[in-house]
Structures are given as C-alpha cells and as structure tokens.
Amino acid sequence: MAERYLPLSLTVFRVDRPTPVDVWSDQGLLLLAHGHRVASPEQLRRLVAHRPMVKQSDYLVLQAQGLAGALLRPGVSVTAGALTAPPARAAARARGDWAEPALAWPRLHTRLAACWHDPLPKAPAPPFAERLLELAGHLADLADEHPDDSLFMLLQMLADPTLGYSATHAWLVALICHLTAAEAGVSAAERQSLCAAALTMNVGMSRLHDALARQKSALSPVQRAEILAHPQAGAQCLAEWGVADSLWLQLVREHHESPDGQGYPGGLTRLGTAQRLLHLADLYVARISPRANRSGLSPLTAVRNLYLEHPDDHLLPELLARHLGLYPPGSYVRLRSGETAVVVRRGRRANEPVVLAIVNAQGWPIAVPATRDTRQPAHAVHASVLAEEVRVRLDPVKILQRT
C-alpha cells in the first residue's frame, strides 16, 4: 500500500529546536530528518513553503506511544488509517442555503451589520457573543468547504458601493485570518477569538467606517479623533455587551498596533502572532478596497507592499500571498491575449489563477464567459485590473455555477 502523508502543524517548527519526526514535502521528498534543527528564520520560511508533512506510519507509531501531541494541522485527524474531514463540513452541507456561498454571504453580511447595530435585543434573542460566534461558525463552514467561492463573493461585494463597507471589510479580514491562521502558528484555542475579533474590531466606529468609504473630502478633526479612539471604544462596547473572552477583547484593542511601534493606541512592539496576522489582514483589505476619494490597490500590489514594509517578518505576507494568490478569486486581470478576465479559482501557482474571460481584446463583453488557461503563454496574466475599470456587471450565482 502506498505511504500516505499528513499535514504537520507549523507549531512543530521553531528555530534551533530539533524536529520530533522526519519532515517530508507533499511530493514525498525528505525536507528535514528527525532530530535535525531549523537553523534560521530563512530555512523556516523555505520549510513552510514546501507544505511540511509527516508519514502516516510515523505518526501512528508516535500516537500509540502517546507522543503525537499536536503534530497534525488542526482539523485533521486519523482513524483506522484514514483521514477524516472536520465535522464543520457535514454541518455546512446540512444547512441548505448556508452552504451555498452565493446565497450565504449576502445574508451573513446583513446579519453581521444587524448584530452590531442591535447588540442587546430583547429576550428570547441570544446574547451578542452567542450570535456573533454563530456567524463565525458559518464563516468557518464556508471557508473550509468553499474557500475560492467565498473569496470570490467577498471581493466582488467589496467593490459594490451599495453595500455597507464595514461589514464586507470585517468578513473578508475574518476569512483571510481563518484561511491562514493554522499555518501561521495561531493555536486552535486562539483561532475562534481571532475570528471574532476580526468581525468586531471596528464596532467602535462602524457607522463612520461606512461613511468614510463614501466620503470624498479629507478627514475632519472629529473624525480623526474617533478613528484613534475606536480600538479602545470597541473593546469597551464588547465588554458592555457581555463579551468575556480576554483574547477577543485584547485583539480588538490592539488591532492597529504595529511591531515597529508606530501603531495605536499604545505604540506596542511586542505582539503575538494572532495580533500580527489580524493587523496585516486588516491592512491588506483596507488597501484593496475602493473608496470615493481613491481607487483601491490591486491585490498584487497590496501584498507586495506588505512584504516590503515588514523586512524582518516575511512569513505572514508570504502566507497571505500563498493562501490568497497574487490574483485572488473575485479580482480582475488582463491576459496577454488582450482579454479582461475575472479570477474564479486560485491556481497551483500564485500567478496562474483559473479565470473566465468576460471582455474581448476589442473591449466588447463576451456573452458567455470563457475559461482561459493562464498556464499557456497566450493567456498568461499580463496585469491586474481594478474593479472600477470593469464595466461588465457579473451575476455571481451564474459565474460560480460555471466553475
């Protein structure tokens, strides 16, 4: 029987610490022998890039000895020699419309905004924290079952000026955190708090957040003061609404802190992985978001800037690039053929997404969007295209049905 490989948790790896098992790539190449040490941060980044795995037979031996611990990536378990899917997937399928991204994400957008604006409804409505965590559970189901479709929907919604910006921003940041947290080394115990913080980090200024997306004039002094105060104000609101999770509240207070000490409100420099991931995801989404007074950056430019701005910590920007792609689903690209295409799937390589051509080289809409293979030179991605430059309106349901 062919040997099987299981994905290792990245918490296994630390610089100058011996590895507890032989570490393999997903192609069956030995990356690091048992007992050898990761010599440097650069070696650690290269190791992570190869998707480190453990042989199933080695894992089962350690498991029998009670030494397996938290070797495997969260959500992966082994029973009777077979991988079992996380129970969230079965739960998602059982919820009908909630399992269909094109239907679920607009509903979740509305429910999140309602949760913020009516945090203390009368009984028998559940408490705020319970309602918020239920929404976070839907996100986890959709992200695990339909990651590309979820990215597609939220990037498309981000470009829709008729939707409340703050809720779309929150959902996309939370999705990015969910997709990358395990590989970033955020513990399973911290991940729910991280997702909840992403969904609520701007409750201290949610209405202003929506207004600023439509505002063409410069910030007023009052608006600037509200922005600077919103991390503390948001955490205070959440505490008053019954949130008792200390990490959730801490991440909301600190989501604008930066390792260089230039963040606010405290100018902190010693920050945990969950906070740094939340901060980078927040920056990324803010920068790709179009506003009334400026265009958004392309996802490629946004992730490249994060990489350049964090010369001492490339791991998290690299994770964003790998998990989202340089051209994530829902964004637009121009092909070497001259056609404009919408990205519908991440490819095997970050620069080779799966796309549907929607505008021909002469600038005319294509009646039936056509699949193009970006691995072929004639259809390779030539450049990003900003959403506001695309004049064709897409029906997300039909687009996702074609993929």
Side-chain angles (χ1 to χ4, degrees):
M1 182 179 295
E3 182 67 77
R4 299 187 67 184
Y5 295 85
L6 310 176
L8 282 165
S9 169
L10 295 192
T11 58
V12 171
F13 305 107
R14 292 291 184 273
V15 174
D16 205 32
R17 180 187 297 178
T19 59
V21 291
D22 287 340
V23 181
W24 302 80
S25 75
D26 56 3
Q27 302 299 314
L29 299 175
L30 182 64
L31 300 175
L32 199 64
H34 175 209
H36 285 213
R37 298 173 183 269
V38 178
S40 66
E42 180 59 31
Q43 186 186 9
L44 177 59
R45 285 193 287 271
R46 291 198 301 268
L47 190 66
V48 169
H50 283 88
R51 302 181 183 277
M53 316 285 278
V54 59
K55 283 186 177 181
Q56 180 173 295
S57 57
D58 291 346
Y59 176 81
L60 292 174
V61 169
L62 290 174
Q63 188 180 52
Q65 297 172 349
L67 301 175
L71 276 182
L72 298 188
R73 188 171 301 169
V76 176
S77 61
V78 183
T79 56
L83 291 177
T84 58
R89 297 188 177 185
R93 286 192 290 269
R95 279 198 283 272
D97 287 353
W98 286 112
E100 297 298 329
L103 300 174
W105 282 112
R107 295 171 64 188
L108 287 171
H109 184 282
T110 300
R111 285 188 58 181
L112 180 61
C115 195
W116 291 342
H117 298 146
D118 188 18
L120 299 173
K122 295 180 180 178
F128 174 86
E130 185 176 329
R131 287 185 292 150
L132 197 286
L133 292 176
E134 180 190 359
L135 296 179
H138 286 307
L139 177 140
D141 292 345
L142 286 162
D144 290 340
E145 192 77 3
H146 304 289
D148 290 288
D149 288 356
S150 294
L151 285 167
F152 179 91
M153 286 299 302
L154 288 173
L155 260 81
Q156 288 285 302
M157 291 166 69
L158 198 66
D160 187 343
T162 67
L163 295 174
Y165 168 71
S166 194
T168 313
H169 177 108
W171 276 121
L172 185 51
V173 172
L175 177 62
I176 292 170
C177 288
H178 180 89
L179 293 175
T180 56
E183 197 168 345
V186 179
S187 71
E190 293 178 327
R191 268 175 244 143
Q192 186 178 65
S193 301
L194 172 59
C195 184
L199 293 177
T200 56
M201 61 188 170
N202 291 313
V203 293
M205 54 167 281
S206 61
R207 295 186 189 279
L208 176 62
H209 210 204
D210 286 338
L212 291 178
R214 303 186 298 267
Q215 180 174 310
K216 295 183 178 180
S217 59
L219 291 173
S220 71
V222 172
Q223 289 175 328
R224 192 176 299 278
E226 185 174 346
I227 290 171
L228 292 175
H230 85 272
Q232 294 280 21
Q236 182 177 342
C237 285
L238 293 172
E240 292 172 356
W241 298 343
V243 173
D245 180 337
S246 59
L247 179 58
W248 178 351
L249 297 175
Q250 178 186 350
L251 289 172
V252 169
R253 280 194 302 271
E254 297 179 358
H255 72 277
H256 278 296
E257 301 287 0
S258 177
D260 61 8
Q262 300 302 305
Y264 65 92
L268 304 179
T269 56
R270 298 185 64 180
L271 303 165
T273 302
Q275 187 281 338
R276 290 185 291 114
L277 179 57
L278 177 61
H279 178 60
L280 259 63
D282 185 28
L283 283 177
Y284 174 84
V285 174
R287 291 173 178 181
I288 66 173
S289 302
R291 309 288 181 87
N293 62 353
R294 63 154 175 82
S295 297
L297 296 179
S298 72
L300 173 61
T301 301
V303 79
R304 181 183 293 156
N305 287 354
L306 290 178
Y307 190 89
L308 294 174
E309 291 163 8
H310 296 81
D312 299 325
D313 184 10
H314 285 165
L315 178 60
L316 294 183
E318 286 174 358
L319 282 179
L320 261 64
R322 188 162 70 253
H323 282 272
L324 305 181
L326 301 179
Y327 312 101
S331 64
Y332 298 92
V333 293
R334 182 159 293 112
L335 308 180
R336 292 202 178 277
S337 62
E339 295 173 314
T340 299
V342 63
V343 179
V344 291
R345 289 282 184 273
R346 295 165 294 175
R348 290 183 63 85
R349 295 185 178 181
N351 62 342
E352 294 177 349
V354 178
V355 306
L356 292 176
I358 56 174
V359 177
N360 66 22
Q362 290 71 44
W364 293 98
I366 297 174
V368 180
T371 303
R372 298 289 185 252
D373 186 351
T374 59
R375 296 171 300 178
Q376 302 300 318
H379 298 299
V381 174
H382 177 64
S384 295
V385 176
L386 299 179
E388 53 263 46
E389 297 175 12
V390 179
R391 303 304 178 190
V392 175
R393 292 183 64 96
L394 302 180
D395 181 339
V397 175
K398 291 183 178 179
I399 291 292
L400 294 184
Q401 284 174 347
R402 291 191 62 80
T403 60

